Amino acid sequence: MGRFEPKILAFCCSYCSYAAADLAGAMRLQYPGNIKIIKVPCTGKVDLIHLLLAFEQGADGIMVAGCLEGNCHFLSGNLRARQRVNRVMAILDRIGLEGDRLAMFNLSAGMGARFAEMAREMYAQVLKLGPSPINIARETAARPIVEVAA
Amino acid sequence: MIKAVPKPLEEIIDLVKDFHKVLIVGCDGCVTVCEAGGLKEVQVLGSSLRLYFTQAGQRMDIDETSLTRQCDQEYLDQLKDRIDHYEAVVSLACGCGVQYLAERYHDKIVYPGVDTCFMGVDLERGVYAERCQACGKCILANTGGICPIARCSKRMLNGPCGGSEKGKCEVNPEIDCGWQLIYDRLKILGQLDRFEQPVDPKDWATSRDGGPRKIVREDLRL
């Protein structure tokens, strides 16, 4: 197995963190390329099942990035997202995956530097946790059985 | 509507761990409204179980579906062509739905995925409260629209009891005294004279004291 390169998804609200990621790019700020951004109209659109399915499909970590609390374009979407993130973290802890593979962040459209910092934090966190147990189990199951001659 | 809460994930894992093909069946009725057993909850449970068994290295095929209602034969019939593919079924319907599903497919192992709690109302999202105990003989007309059977901890018909203090019940200070509520409402309605007539003992034969109940409406039958 080669060096572990985590697959990290970022659900970004189009009103804040997506624009912040764009700004981070315009500012030429460096952040790990492992972060794959999914633009959502509001983090309130992100449901439990989206997060769980992403883990099922091999994500090593997921970040949900919404507006600053009190600043949601749809008033409470980011608060709902935080609750859902907490619920999924609790589920992950109970089924043998680390809840820390998931995190919620809040930032505004002008916080490009914070986005880059947040992405680096998440990358470091997932790197520390290692590959998702789902990926490890799948890789183990797919490994051919080598018979040793007597 | 009927209110239920999801069973702990560990309990469901323990129920299905010895199988390899499991179907999770939700109900689009009451349990969808209280977010315990609708299609969304079916998907979340299915995904959680797949994640658990995958990381545990155990082969487990989990499929998901939801029926309009599990308390009606015609909707349960929709499973007839596929249910044989599964070793066990987890039903997220209320106790009625779980039983009717087990009755319809009597050779299939059916497990409950929720704990059915009571008939109640939504105070706010995620907060539900009991309002009816289905005693079979409604007396709300005489009690200001507040049921002493469901709202009084002692089901008193001539309350309140001595345990009512500052409008709260002695059983738990978070419970409103049902009879205080009735008094306040009758006062608003100008019907406090109802307290002057003691209520006769209730005939509990229409409730659970008469055994499992059944309604036969000849006017509706063909």
Side-chain angles (χ1 to χ4, degrees):
Chain A
M1 193 174 165
R3 187 181 129 84
F4 169 52
E5 279 301 336
K7 282 176 276 192
I8 301 173
L9 279 186
F11 287 96
C12 292
C13 160
S14 64
Y15 289 96
C16 55
S17 60
Y18 189 80
D22 202 25
L23 181 62
M27 290 166 75
R28 303 279 189 270
L29 297 172
Q30 295 287 315
Y31 67 85
N34 311 52
I35 314 277
K36 310 291 179 200
I37 294 177
I38 296 176
K39 183 183 179 183
V40 289
C42 171
T43 47
K45 177 65 197 159
V46 181
D47 216 333
L48 276 72
I49 192 62
H50 300 132
L51 303 171
L52 289 168
L53 282 178
F55 281 114
E56 265 195 71
Q57 293 179 16
D60 295 299
I62 304 176
M63 49 200 267
V64 179
C67 299
L68 294 170
E69 292 197 2
N71 280 355
C72 174
H73 193 76
F74 302 99
L75 305 177
S76 56
N78 54 354
L79 303 178
R80 289 183 198 284
R82 181 170 288 281
Q83 269 212 326
R84 289 171 189 156
V85 164
N86 289 343
R87 279 179 68 189
V88 173
M89 286 172 85
I91 291 174
L92 294 179
D93 279 333
R94 293 164 86 170
I95 57 176
L97 271 78
E98 302 86 351
D100 289 344
R101 293 185 181 277
L102 179 60
M104 171 93 197
F105 295 94
N106 297 91
L107 70 174
S108 77
M111 297 164 78
R114 173 68 187 131
F115 182 87
E117 185 187 316
M118 196 182 80
R120 286 193 294 269
E121 277 173 26
M122 194 66 200
Y123 177 78
Q125 170 85 348
V126 177
L127 209 56
K128 202 170 88 185
L129 290 168
S132 156
I134 299 300
N135 294 337
I136 295 173
R138 286 207 179 112
E139 198 167 297
T140 310
R143 200 174 296 153
I145 298 165
V146 181
E147 286 186 25
V148 182
Chain B
M1 279 185 143
I2 291 172
K3 300 297 171 196
V5 291
K7 274 191 178 292
L9 205 46
E10 294 82 354
E11 194 177 328
I12 298 176
I13 288 171
D14 200 44
L15 289 172
V16 301
K17 67 179 189 302
D18 297 327
F19 302 103
H20 298 293
K21 283 190 84 67
V22 172
L23 177 66
I24 306 172
V25 187
C27 178
D28 300 344
C30 310
V31 287
T32 296
V33 179
C34 61
E35 300 183 52
L39 184 59
K40 269 192 177 185
E41 291 72 35
V42 167
Q43 291 170 336
V44 168
L45 176 61
S47 185
S48 303
L49 291 178
R50 275 193 297 273
L51 284 168
Y52 173 79
F53 288 109
T54 303
Q55 65 83 28
Q58 184 177 335
R59 185 177 70 79
M60 176 70 89
D61 291 335
I62 293 168
D63 286 335
E64 302 149 4
T65 190
S66 192
L67 303 176
T68 305
R69 283 194 298 276
Q70 289 192 32
C71 51
D72 268 319
Q73 286 279 1
E74 54 262 52
Y75 298 119
L76 291 174
D77 282 349
Q78 293 170 357
L79 296 177
K80 70 177 189 302
D81 294 331
R82 58 187 300 205
I83 200 158
D84 283 341
H85 302 307
Y86 303 96
E87 296 164 320
V89 177
V90 177
S91 165
L92 297 197
C94 70
C96 307
V98 178
Q99 288 186 63
Y100 217 25
L101 178 63
E103 202 174 312
R104 171 67 180 80
Y105 302 104
H106 64 275
D107 57 349
K108 191 61 58 188
I109 294 169
V110 180
Y111 293 123
V114 302
D115 288 320
T116 308
C117 301
F118 50 76
M119 275 185 284
V121 294
D122 297 30
L123 297 181
E124 59 183 82
R125 189 172 176 202
V127 183
Y128 314 111
E130 186 168 20
R131 286 290 185 273
C132 178
Q133 293 211 336
C135 71
K137 191 74 184 164
C138 192
I139 53 171
L140 285 170
N142 297 319
T143 55
I146 292 157
C147 179
I149 309 300
R151 308 289 301 273
C152 168
S153 301
K154 296 177 183 172
R155 305 183 190 187
M156 293 184 76
L157 289 166
N158 293 284
C161 71
S164 173
E165 195 178 344
K166 294 178 184 161
K168 298 293 177 186
C169 175
E170 66 177 340
V171 168
N172 180 341
E174 286 184 12
I175 301 172
D176 289 324
C177 167
W179 274 99
Q180 180 73 50
L181 297 174
I182 292 169
Y183 177 86
D184 293 343
R185 185 93 206 288
L186 288 178
K187 194 174 177 184
I188 290 167
L189 299 175
Q191 296 177 346
L192 278 178
D193 55 316
R194 296 243 161 105
F195 275 93
E196 289 168 18
Q197 288 296 323
V199 179
D200 289 337
K202 188 173 169 62
D203 176 7
W204 288 98
T206 56
S207 185
R208 281 285 301 160
D209 290 21
R213 293 167 285 176
K214 188 176 182 179
I215 298 169
V216 181
R217 288 270 309 270
E218 292 298 347
D219 56 328
L220 297 178
R221 304 180 81 195
L222 289 176

